[in-house]
Amino acid sequence: MTEKLDIDHLRQWIGRSTEATDIVTAQLVKGLRATLFQDVGEPKVGDAAPFTVHWCLAQPVFPMSMLGPDGHPARGGFLPPVPLPRRMWAGGEIEFLQPLRVGDESTRTSRIADVQVKSGSTGTLCFVSVEHSISSPRGVAIRERQDIVYREMTNTQAAPAKAPPPPPPPKAQHREIHVSDPVLLFRYSALTFNGHRIHYDRDYVTKVEGYPGLIFHGPLQAALIIEMAAKLRSGKAPKKFTYRGLQPLFEGTEFSINANDDGESMELWTANAEGQPTMKGTAVW
């Protein structure tokens, strides 16, 4: 049974901060390029890294004895100890000020900005917003807000008896199609030192959390969207990218990265094999 959620206690974490430092290595850039379906090449010191390389840097490291049953660190510490068992990356907002480059020493300063409790179709939801500032020797490179959602353990395979039909898939001016391969998910988990078992442990994700298969990382979807947006704008990252997850994307199926560009802003989304959006975002330059 889930422990009672004490929002007043959890909101005491607002304002807590932490800082971590790491190096952008050529090997990391090669691995991330390969995972983002880019030319791997031979990155040299000073070369620009993929725009979301900061998600691979200075990730928290805990001994095995401090991990919870889902592969995440046990609750508490920097993040508030939300007693709801499921944790997902719900969305956020990123400002790209300048690229991180191979050889940079990068420092991430993080702060708990807000903790809110809401009710949804799956029960109680707790949203934790975390603000990050990522700096290089040249100054602030990225500002970001991440929204993490915690929710109850429910039977996700039980669909409503009379669920309305999904809306028709949106049409896209630009589209790339790839396959959600388990090796792709493993590679991204390794690059980000992400032990969350929903991305690589099929027995756990199907038998314990009740999903039909391994779940595609939210940050990986966002990274692919951002890289596509930049490619459509001659390699320039958007000044601001806002995004949110809509539904899980699972292993073993085709998925698409999509964009509609009106010249001022760009609507972007990933979609499953049926064309239904799984993440949506807006980029502005």
Side-chain angles (χ1 to χ4, degrees):
M1 184 171 177
T2 302
E3 177 187 343
K4 179 175 170 54
L5 195 153
D6 184 346
I7 185 58
D8 292 332
H9 175 62
L10 298 178
R11 286 182 62 83
Q12 292 178 18
W13 264 254
I14 294 175
R16 293 195 183 194
S17 63
T18 187
E19 186 173 284
T21 300
D22 204 348
I23 303 292
V24 182
T25 67
Q27 185 67 17
L28 172 60
V29 169
K30 289 174 68 173
L32 186 55
R33 284 178 179 174
T35 305
L36 298 178
F37 307 106
Q38 299 176 347
D39 292 336
V40 175
E42 291 294 338
K44 303 291 192 298
V45 172
D47 288 352
F51 296 111
T52 57
V53 70
H54 63 289
W55 288 338
C56 304
L57 296 171
Q59 293 301 313
V61 177
F62 292 86
M64 295 296 293
S65 61
M66 293 181 64
L67 300 183
D70 62 356
H72 274 308
R75 305 299 165 90
F78 172 62
L79 289 172
V82 179
L84 302 175
R86 278 187 173 160
R87 170 180 165 178
M88 303 285 279
W89 195 321
E93 183 175 276
I94 310 175
E95 294 180 72
F96 294 100
L97 306 178
Q98 56 178 298
L100 292 172
R101 299 184 178 278
V102 176
D104 281 350
E105 182 177 84
S106 171
T107 299
R108 183 185 65 243
T109 303
S110 306
R111 173 183 174 274
I112 305 296
D114 199 10
V115 181
Q116 296 284 344
V117 173
K118 300 179 182 179
S119 294
S121 60
T122 58
T124 301
L125 304 172
C126 183
F127 289 88
V128 178
S129 292
V130 185
E131 294 176 346
H132 303 283
S133 176
I134 296 92
S135 299
S136 76
R138 297 172 300 281
V140 177
I142 297 167
R143 294 192 184 98
E144 176 181 12
R145 187 196 77 246
Q146 292 176 3
D147 299 325
I148 303 166
V149 61
Y150 299 80
R151 62 189 185 92
E152 299 174 77
M153 192 74 75
T154 57
N155 183 3
T156 58
Q157 294 178 314
K162 294 183 178 180
K171 294 182 179 180
Q173 296 171 343
H174 309 276
R175 174 167 291 159
E176 293 181 4
I177 295 177
H178 300 284
V179 175
S180 176
D181 187 284
V183 177
L184 176 68
L185 305 187
F186 169 80
R187 279 184 160 194
Y188 196 72
S189 287
L191 284 167
T192 55
F193 202 69
N194 183 354
H196 199 180
R197 292 169 67 177
I198 64 173
H199 303 304
Y200 62 86
D201 187 336
R202 189 173 289 108
D203 278 351
Y204 172 83
V205 76
T206 56
K207 296 177 181 179
V208 177
E209 298 216 8
Y211 290 103
L214 301 177
I215 297 176
F216 203 100
H217 309 70
L220 179 52
Q221 292 183 64
L224 290 166
I225 288 173
I226 290 166
E227 293 292 341
M228 182 179 188
K231 184 165 60 176
L232 293 171
R233 291 293 183 94
S234 302
K236 185 178 181 181
K239 290 182 179 178
K240 183 179 292 186
F241 176 67
T242 305
Y243 65 102
R244 64 188 178 92
L246 302 176
Q247 61 176 313
L249 175 63
F250 297 104
E251 64 167 315
T253 63
E254 285 191 344
F255 71 97
S256 59
I257 314 164
N258 307 270
N260 286 329
D261 189 352
D262 65 9
E264 295 184 2
S265 64
M266 198 179 295
E267 296 300 319
L268 301 124
W269 68 97
T270 46
N272 58 24
E274 290 73 41
Q276 299 301 320
T278 57
M279 175 176 285
K280 294 184 73 173
T282 301
V284 294
W285 279 260

